[in-house]
Amino acid sequence: MDDAAIATHTSGQPDPDFHSLAYDPDTHVLIFKVAVATGFDAPRAWTLVSVRPNRGRDFGMQIVGRIMRVHPSVRPIHGQDALLDSGYVLLTDPDMQVGLQAAVDELKAVRESIELITDNLDVYEFGNAEKQAIASDVPKPPFTPKPPENEAERQERLTNLIEQGVVRADVQNMPDTEKDRAIVAGETWQSMSDTPLFGDLPESKKPDTDKGPSKPKLRPYPLRKDLDLPKALVRELPPDPMKLNDLVQDIAREFCRSADMPGLLQRKLTKAHLDLRDLFASELQETVDLRLRLSNARVAEKAQLAFNFNDAIDPRLLKRALVEELRGIVDDKGIEAEERDLRRAIDLAGMMEPEKLKEAIKTAQARNVRTDTSEPVPEQYFGPDGLSEAEKSAYGVFPHRLNKEEQDFAAFLDADKTGTVKWWMRNPENETWATRLILPSGHRFFPDFVVGVSGRTTPDAIALVEIKDDGETGRLQSDRNVEKIRVQHREYRNVFWTYRSDGTWIRARYAEGLHKIVPNDRFDVKELVYLG
């Protein structure tokens, strides 16, 4: 086998992209130690050779699960190739790996009742064939049918199971012992399926719901024609998947421009402080300054989280673009560096400055994001009868299901007498026609309100507003909100953030130095005209 087809991931030589190896068709063998035992999804894996001692059944189940998944390209040919329908676990020391044996035994116990419609799970022991004891036995089902006593009974019961689709038709051609085992497994399965959901609990009549409160009947509220409303809202769409290479190259340029990559190439040590305190004399304390060597394994591990920030961007593709970009920078500066040095510098930048990476993704994505206006604003809004009238609402009423803050802010907009607010509408989350922003993480952001503003120089003079709580509960400072407040809509530009404090609407802003959302000043509806 070609050396390039063998990948390794150990504490001494970690591969920061090991989670992506499962999708690399050129990688056929992965040699690892502990790190990918959990959280590693590789449907292409067929064989596992384990040399690690393991006595826990749960961990053994995870290990076996690595090779139990079926790759999508193999599913259409299931049953046509016995080799592809099997997975293999090879144990180097069964005495020290009873956890894997216990996992296999449990899986086999489950499969025995349905194995006639799925794959078999077999265990072959080489060398010492003495079976190891396991901590717990799988309980037998409460009902176990008896095998047939004669050929006539065997054929009758087997035919019945085949006709019902419980047992495969080719079981008819198997030996009598296999037929009997199929009959017992099939009838056991039927018994389990026929067991009532609530066992022997007494049945009771359905309560009479006619006397209870009925759901409110919905009526249509037409879209107003007197407010000069837009026919459709501009929706942001993710960058074109076919142009992903352009996006990652743009990200690489932004990140290498903002981060001190050449300086990180020389970075070998890091500063640390060690605080010492006498446990018996608390007043005796000492602080020692240290210079510690950075662990390549630790750097790679921490950086992996930063580069997996956006699920739509392949970290391997991004790192390849970063290596190429950094190679151009060091060549221009006359710096000698091998590829492993470049990768280490990139990992250091991702670990030490993850916000700069997010900012690079945000900037590049803003240039590559697409827009769409194909979904028209609905001609009708359906809500309960009797909703309160609203003078500037797109549908003439205050929408149903607004929380208190949203309800009060809608009333605040509707009561504007300055002539700034021409109209407003609720921007419902996840509606296909609603406007949204694409976040650096790839998630979508639906601001709460769309407002038509006199004098604003955006399409249809639209401003977007997001309503939050009072900022005291911590929800305002969530990671998702900090990500949201830093983005701008491609066409509608800045999103106005506001929350209420002591009865007054406060405009919020993002403080980069503090990396948090802070109050700016009192929210003034006239400021909706500004683009900053």
Side-chain angles (χ1 to χ4, degrees):
M1 181 177 294
D2 188 359
D3 289 347
I6 303 175
T8 60
H9 181 75
T10 64
S11 58
Q13 293 181 321
D15 185 338
D17 301 324
F18 76 87
H19 279 287
S20 303
L21 291 173
Y23 307 101
D24 184 355
D26 296 327
T27 300
H28 298 291
V29 176
L30 173 60
I31 302 173
F32 64 90
K33 178 183 178 183
V34 180
V36 298
T38 59
F40 181 71
D41 186 21
R44 291 196 303 118
W46 261 271
T47 303
L48 174 75
V49 180
S50 177
V51 298
R52 177 185 178 182
N54 168 41
R55 296 184 180 276
R57 184 189 61 184
D58 292 341
F59 185 78
M61 192 76 74
Q62 293 173 352
I63 288 291
V64 175
R66 300 307 104 193
I67 50 91
M68 290 289 285
R69 295 179 175 90
V70 181
H71 195 276
S73 62
V74 179
R75 292 171 190 166
I77 59 172
H78 173 65
Q80 301 179 25
D81 189 327
L83 184 64
L84 296 180
D85 286 344
S86 302
Y88 305 90
V89 177
L90 306 181
L91 308 181
T92 58
D93 188 352
D95 291 344
M96 297 299 293
Q97 295 171 300
V98 294
L100 290 171
Q101 178 67 57
V104 169
D105 288 346
E106 178 160 334
L107 285 170
K108 189 171 182 179
V110 174
R111 290 279 181 123
E112 280 182 347
S113 62
I114 56 174
E115 65 178 356
L116 301 167
I117 54 174
T118 60
D119 298 336
N120 288 322
L121 183 64
D122 298 321
V123 178
Y124 299 92
E125 298 184 8
F126 299 89
N128 182 11
E130 182 180 355
K131 184 169 180 166
Q132 303 299 318
I134 60 176
S136 60
D137 295 327
V138 178
K140 293 183 179 180
F143 169 74
T144 303
K146 295 181 179 179
E149 296 182 354
N150 52 58
E151 181 61 25
E153 180 185 353
R154 177 180 296 113
Q155 288 301 324
E156 180 182 356
R157 290 166 64 181
L158 184 57
T159 301
N160 183 46
L161 291 171
I162 292 174
E163 289 177 351
Q164 295 182 45
V166 177
V167 173
R168 297 198 313 254
D170 61 351
V171 175
Q172 287 276 23
N173 303 323
M174 296 183 181
D176 289 347
T177 54
E178 290 300 311
K179 292 180 182 178
D180 293 349
R181 193 162 68 88
I183 291 170
V184 171
E187 291 180 351
T188 301
W189 180 263
Q190 279 186 320
S191 175
M192 294 170 62
S193 302
D194 294 340
T195 302
L197 177 62
F198 299 103
D200 297 328
L201 291 177
E203 295 183 2
S204 59
K205 292 184 178 181
K206 181 181 179 181
D208 187 0
T209 57
D210 294 339
K211 298 180 181 179
S214 59
K215 294 183 178 179
K217 294 182 179 180
L218 302 181
R219 54 152 287 191
Y221 292 90
L223 189 68
R224 294 171 62 177
K225 305 300 182 182
D226 59 328
L227 292 179
D228 192 25
L229 297 166
K231 296 185 181 299
L233 299 178
V234 180
R235 302 173 299 127
E236 286 191 354
L237 301 178
D240 187 349
M242 302 303 294
K243 299 180 179 178
L244 188 57
N245 284 333
D246 296 338
L247 174 62
V248 296
Q249 288 170 7
D250 203 356
I251 295 171
R253 282 191 294 270
E254 285 294 326
F255 189 41
C256 289
R257 181 188 61 79
S258 61
D260 181 20
M261 292 292 190
L264 292 174
L265 279 169
Q266 311 300 324
R267 185 77 177 269
K268 302 296 181 183
L269 303 175
T270 187
K271 291 182 180 180
H273 300 287
L274 178 64
D275 293 325
L276 304 174
R277 185 180 66 179
D278 193 310
L279 294 178
F280 298 98
S282 58
E283 69 277 4
L284 298 179
Q285 299 187 26
E286 181 183 1
T287 299
V288 179
D289 292 332
L290 302 174
R291 300 278 289 177
L292 302 177
R293 180 169 294 278
L294 290 165
S295 165
N296 291 343
R298 189 65 172 168
V299 169
E301 180 184 351
K302 289 292 184 181
Q304 188 69 24
L305 297 175
F307 288 105
N308 283 331
F309 177 66
N310 187 319
D311 292 338
I313 300 174
D314 185 349
R316 292 173 68 90
L317 191 62
L318 176 56
K319 284 195 172 182
R320 194 176 300 127
L322 285 165
V323 168
E324 292 175 0
E325 184 68 22
L326 184 54
R327 169 61 69 190
I329 293 174
V330 298
D331 286 348
D332 290 343
K333 293 181 178 293
I335 300 174
E336 291 186 4
E338 297 182 2
E339 181 166 329
R340 65 180 180 182
D341 299 321
L342 301 179
R343 288 185 170 274
R344 184 179 183 278
I346 291 168
D347 283 340
L348 272 174
M351 179 188 74
M352 300 173 65
E353 300 179 304
E355 293 305 317
K356 287 188 177 180
L357 178 59
K358 294 178 184 178
E359 190 68 24
I361 295 174
K362 183 191 79 171
T363 303
Q365 190 165 256
R367 289 196 286 258
N368 290 272
V369 74
R370 297 171 294 161
T371 58
D372 179 75
T373 57
S374 62
E375 289 281 348
V377 175
E379 289 294 324
Q380 295 176 323
Y381 161 71
F382 288 88
D385 196 11
L387 291 177
S388 301
E389 293 185 2
E391 180 183 350
K392 295 180 174 63
S393 169
Y395 295 98
V397 294
F398 289 99
H400 185 45
R401 293 181 177 174
L402 295 179
N403 63 36
K404 179 171 175 49
E405 299 302 298
E406 294 167 346
Q407 180 76 32
D408 289 352
F409 187 78
F412 172 76
L413 290 175
D414 209 64
D416 174 52
K417 302 301 182 184
T418 67
T420 302
V421 177
K422 298 191 297 182
W423 54 265
W424 61 268
M425 70 169 65
R426 182 76 166 91
N427 188 51
E429 189 168 4
N430 294 324
E431 290 288 348
T432 57
W433 60 270
T435 187
R436 79 286 307 268
L437 294 81
I438 303 299
L439 300 176
S441 61
H443 296 104
R444 301 177 300 172
F445 167 33
F446 294 82
D448 293 319
F449 288 96
V450 180
V451 186
V453 180
S454 296
R456 186 171 171 89
T457 58
T458 52
D460 297 304
I462 283 176
L464 305 177
V465 182
E466 175 74 359
I467 310 301
K468 287 302 172 186
D469 58 41
D470 61 7
E472 294 179 356
T473 64
R475 289 177 293 173
L476 181 65
Q477 304 298 338
S478 69
D479 291 342
R480 181 59 59 85
N481 282 339
V482 170
E483 181 186 9
K484 288 178 178 179
I485 200 172
R486 299 166 67 182
V487 298
Q488 287 199 354
H489 192 280
R490 179 76 175 266
E491 298 293 339
Y492 299 144
R493 307 292 295 276
N494 55 310
V495 179
F496 290 85
W497 283 60
T498 183
Y499 62 89
R500 193 158 47 178
S501 177
D502 297 328
T504 301
W505 291 105
I506 303 297
R507 185 175 174 184
R509 66 178 180 87
Y510 172 70
E512 186 152 0
L514 300 174
H515 189 51
K516 65 182 298 186
I517 300 171
V518 299
N520 189 31
D521 50 25
R522 177 176 165 274
F523 182 86
D524 187 345
V525 73
K526 293 180 180 179
E527 294 183 353
L528 290 174
V529 72
Y530 299 126
L531 303 182

